[in-house]
């Protein structure tokens, strides 16, 4: 039986319940999947990899785009026959769609037995127990105003699960750590502020305790998370002064992300520190200098531009022009030229003309992004864009722009990657390569070696041959070939 932790979960009949978790969407959901596993295991349940074996199916959903939602509802619909055969199967809708649809999800997807919003994960064992007893519970986030004790209590409950959880994220040596919850930016197209609530920065001492525990448990790389993580602002811990330069001036004043990075980077044995996602409007000279001056902060900045046309950016309520975006990138590159900048884009936003789209392509050509994620605009109920602007770019135009922009980004990424050929890079080896047939020409595998995957400091994916003992360690590799998404490395023989 899995060990139990005290408190509310103790009396729940969870023993031997097999739970399967499916996570869609962003890094925040991947972290939430780890928290769900933690909280269910603490209540005595067993997490299983095969959904067919499970007594409880939990879906951590994303509400950012309509087609992701449609896919979840259609996957839930497909469970109807199984549920008829096994009426005691519990199906839970979690994540952003849970907050967005609330009790409405029970009507739209009759197989769903429980609905649990992102801020209510600590209540999950109780919700599962109630669902097994025949209820259909719905747990939504409480309103979060400053005076709202319910919101503060649910954040504190999340903090407790997060701080105590087992290490491991994308791979066993990596972990996500929440720096901020919610978002106050209200970009016109975006549902996140409505489903994840207002922006709240976590206390630095809580973040540091979590980071220390994770690193003690074997984590080498931490990624701090927030929707606009560079807006981080929090009262300093009791000890006051930040380890960031200008110690005297930083003592006692509010900490920003540069202070937090310096404090987390000082955790002994942490090898790499990253943060996502940054908002261009909140990119400061201090943070740009952190890339240069704070050890272990990796040269990797995910700072979505979304569009290159000022008219579109204005309608998106992004709060900057294309020239201001370019100036922020220039500031970062001046401080630390090796920083790889990654962007997101939305194509087909209402009113986007051919000239607007050309301005986005132009920004891509000028910024030379290391990678980019392109999304077709999807109107989200309740957002300003859905209310105010007709979704007037035809679907086939969105598709063509999506393809053209993706190709432009990939071509530049491939050119940038080719600059690495012949150079040596530090690779933190994450595990075995999931596609071991993808390799450089002329490769000869030594006995006992396999194909491994890892990342450069700038987050480029490297596949290389090596012994399994390298997993979790940093090695120096020579880049022998490069594609748009992958570098092929070789461990030098000397
Ligand atoms: N907070 C992050 C930021 O501001 O960059 C990420 C938010 S969202 C989860 C990730 C990406 O989804 C956004 O950067 C945006 O490109 C895209 N996105 C958000 N809402 C969208 C919508 N309604 N239609 C299409 N793409 C959308
Ligand atoms: Fe959405 Fe904008 Fe907030 Fe990102 S910054 S989560 S795009 S509202």
């Amino acid at each position: 039986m899995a060990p139990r932790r005290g408190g509310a979960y103790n009396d729940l009949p969870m023993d031997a319940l097999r739970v399967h978790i499916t996570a869609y969407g962003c890094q925040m959901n991947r972290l939430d999947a780890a928290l769900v596993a933690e909280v269910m295991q603490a209540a005595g349940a067993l997490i299983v990899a095969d959904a067919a074996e499970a007594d409880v199916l939990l879906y951590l959903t994303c509400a950012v785009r309509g087609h992701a939602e449609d896919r979840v509802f259609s996957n839930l619909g497909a469970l109807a026959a199984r549920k008829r055969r096994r009426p005691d199967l519990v199906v839970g809708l979690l994540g952003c769609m849970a907050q967005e649809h609330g009790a409405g999800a029970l009507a739209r997807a009759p197989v769903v037995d429980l609905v649990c919003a992102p801020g209510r994960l600590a209540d999950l064992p109780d919700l599962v127990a109630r669902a097994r007893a025949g209820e259909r519970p719905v747990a939504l986030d409480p309103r979060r105003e400053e005076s709202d004790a319910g919101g503060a209590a649910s954040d504190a409950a999340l903090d407790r699960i997060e701080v105590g959880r087992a290490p491991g994220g994308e791979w066993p040596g990596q972990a996500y750590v929440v720096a901020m919850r919610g978002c106050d930016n209200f970009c016109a197209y975006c549902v996140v502020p409505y489903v994840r609530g207002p922006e709240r920065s976590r206390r630095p001492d809580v973040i540091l305790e979590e980071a220390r525990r994770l690193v003690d448990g074997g984590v080498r790389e931490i990624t701090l998370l927030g929707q606009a993580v560079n807006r981080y602002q929090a009262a300093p811990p009791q000890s006051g002064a930040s380890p960031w330069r200008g110690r005297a001036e930083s003592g006692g004043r509010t900490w920003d992300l540069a202070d937090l990075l310096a404090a987390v980077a000082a955790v002994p044995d942490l090898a790499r520190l990253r943060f996502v996602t940054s908002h261009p409007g909140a990119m400061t000279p201090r943070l740009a200098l952190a890339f240069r001056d704070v050890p272990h902060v990796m040269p990797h900045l995910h700072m979505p531009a979304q569009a290159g046309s000022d008219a579109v950016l204005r309608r998106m309520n992004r709060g900057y022009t294309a020239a201001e975006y370019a100036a922020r990138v220039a500031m970062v590159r001046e401080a630390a030229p090796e920083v790889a900048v990654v962007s997101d884009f939305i194509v087909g936003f209402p009113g986007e003309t051919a000239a607007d789209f050309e301005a986005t392509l132009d920004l891509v050509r000028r910024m030379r992004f290391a990678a980019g994620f392109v999304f077709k605009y999807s109107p989200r109920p309740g957002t300003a864009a859905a209310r105010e602007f007709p979704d007037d770019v035809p679907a086939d135009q969105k598709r063509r722009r999506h393809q053209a922009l993706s190709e432009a980004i990939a071509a530049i990424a491939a050119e940038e990657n080719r600059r690495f050929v012949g150079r040596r890079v530090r690779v933190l080896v994450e595990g075995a390569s999931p596609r071991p047939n993808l390799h450089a020409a002329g490769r000869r595998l030594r006995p006992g070696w396999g194909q491994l995957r890892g990342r450069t400091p700038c987050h480029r994916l490297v596949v290389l041959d090596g012994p399994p003992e390298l997993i979790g360690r940093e090695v120096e590799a020579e880049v022998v070939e490069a594609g748009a998404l992958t570098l092929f490395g070789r461990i030098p023989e000397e």
Side-chain angles (χ1 to χ4, degrees):
M1 186 179 85
R4 289 177 167 223
R5 206 169 307 127
Y9 320 134
N10 265 352
D11 301 324
L12 296 170
M14 291 284 150
D15 294 347
L17 260 195
R18 289 158 300 181
V19 176
H20 181 268
I21 304 164
T22 308
Y24 302 92
C26 66
Q27 295 101 332
M28 208 63 100
N29 264 11
R30 298 209 281 279
L31 171 61
D32 283 351
L35 303 185
V36 167
E38 188 70 29
V39 86
M40 292 308 295
Q41 280 170 328
L46 191 72
I47 306 301
V48 294
D50 183 358
E53 279 180 15
D55 309 302
V56 180
L57 297 173
L58 299 176
Y59 292 88
L60 266 161
T61 58
C62 169
V64 166
R65 279 169 292 276
H67 89 263
E69 288 207 351
D70 296 343
R71 193 158 56 111
V72 169
F73 278 123
S74 107
N75 291 350
L76 290 171
L79 289 173
R82 182 166 167 201
K83 181 95 176 173
R84 273 197 300 276
R85 283 195 308 275
R86 254 205 77 179
D88 64 331
L89 180 74
V90 173
V91 179
L93 184 76
L94 281 51
C96 292
M97 279 174 68
Q99 179 69 19
E100 189 193 3
H101 292 271
L106 299 176
R108 181 151 170 203
V111 295
V112 171
D113 300 292
L114 70 92
V115 175
C116 177
R120 299 294 297 276
L121 295 183
D123 299 332
L124 199 52
D126 177 48
L127 300 174
V128 171
R130 285 166 55 195
R132 293 176 75 217
E135 268 185 69
R136 296 179 90 200
V138 175
L140 300 184
D141 276 1
R143 282 179 50 216
R144 293 175 190 279
E145 279 144 16
E146 249 161 60
S147 59
D148 178 12
S154 77
D155 281 351
L158 284 178
D159 274 348
R160 281 194 294 278
I161 312 170
E162 282 173 22
V163 169
R165 75 179 190 277
E170 295 295 312
W171 59 283
Q174 187 273 350
Y176 294 112
V177 172
V178 172
M180 296 173 80
R181 301 193 172 99
C183 183
D184 278 348
N185 280 310
F186 289 94
C187 301
Y189 49 80
C190 187
V191 79
V192 170
Y194 304 94
V195 291
R196 292 256 173 188
E199 190 173 276
R200 290 99 71 202
S201 294
R202 280 176 95 200
R203 279 172 32 197
D205 53 333
V206 177
I207 295 173
L208 280 166
E209 184 188 346
E210 185 172 329
R212 277 191 213 104
R213 284 186 183 222
L214 290 165
V215 174
D216 285 349
V219 163
R220 311 281 338 270
E221 172 171 315
I222 283 180
T223 305
L224 297 176
L225 293 183
Q227 297 296 343
V229 70
N230 53 342
R231 283 166 56 93
Y232 183 86
Q233 291 286 322
Q238 290 294 304
S239 54
S242 158
W244 174 244
R245 353 172 275 133
R247 196 181 254 275
E249 135 240 341
S250 65
R253 69 151 169 75
T254 305
W255 274 24
D256 64 10
L257 185 62
D259 297 303
L260 182 67
L261 287 170
V264 177
V267 171
D269 297 327
L270 178 70
R272 294 184 170 191
L273 181 57
R274 303 182 190 278
F275 54 97
V276 285
T277 308
S278 291
H279 192 284
M283 181 48 70
T284 61
R286 266 172 70 77
L287 188 55
L289 288 172
F291 281 115
R292 189 190 73 186
D293 295 338
V294 179
H296 311 306
V297 171
M298 293 292 107
H300 167 217
L301 173 67
H302 188 166
M303 186 168 77
Q306 308 296 1
S309 147
D310 290 347
V312 172
L313 286 168
R314 200 174 323 111
R315 284 201 300 282
M316 286 180 165
N317 192 32
R318 287 290 287 177
Y320 54 84
T321 62
E324 284 163 347
Y325 180 87
R328 301 286 148 89
V329 171
M331 175 178 76
V332 171
R333 287 184 171 152
E334 193 182 329
E338 73 283 17
V339 171
V341 182
V342 175
S343 180
D344 295 354
F345 292 96
I346 296 177
V347 293
F349 189 75
E352 185 188 63
T353 62
D356 290 325
F357 180 63
E358 190 49 47
T360 298
L361 283 171
D362 181 54
L363 185 74
V364 163
R365 290 185 202 111
R366 286 185 294 126
M367 293 300 104
R368 303 198 64 77
F369 296 108
F373 302 93
V374 184
F375 305 103
K376 290 179 241 169
Y377 170 68
S378 158
R380 302 309 297 133
T383 60
R387 256 192 333 269
E388 290 167 23
F389 309 124
D391 181 16
D392 57 1
V393 177
D396 66 328
Q397 187 65 270
K398 284 185 188 167
R399 194 173 31 75
R400 277 198 297 276
R401 288 179 186 170
H402 183 279
Q403 187 174 347
L405 187 57
S406 305
E407 283 172 5
I409 291 169
I412 291 168
E415 278 173 28
E416 290 295 308
N417 281 354
R418 278 197 288 278
R419 294 191 307 124
F420 284 81
V421 175
R423 278 166 52 184
R424 291 198 175 183
V425 290
R426 304 274 316 153
V427 180
L428 179 55
V429 180
E430 298 177 354
S433 168
R435 292 169 61 201
N437 296 327
L438 188 74
H439 55 74
R443 158 209 202 216
R444 274 196 317 278
L445 200 57
R446 290 196 213 163
W449 283 28
Q451 189 163 48
L452 304 172
R453 57 167 280 157
R455 299 257 172 196
T456 62
C458 56
H459 210 238
R460 287 180 165 89
L461 180 65
V462 182
V463 296
L464 76 175
D465 293 337
E469 302 82 81
L470 291 184
I471 294 171
R473 288 174 38 197
E474 267 190 313
V475 290
E476 191 162 88
E478 184 187 334
V479 179
V480 291
E481 255 180 70
L485 299 175
T486 314
L487 304 179
F488 298 91
R490 186 174 68 84
I491 297 175
E493 303 219 335
E494 86 288 324

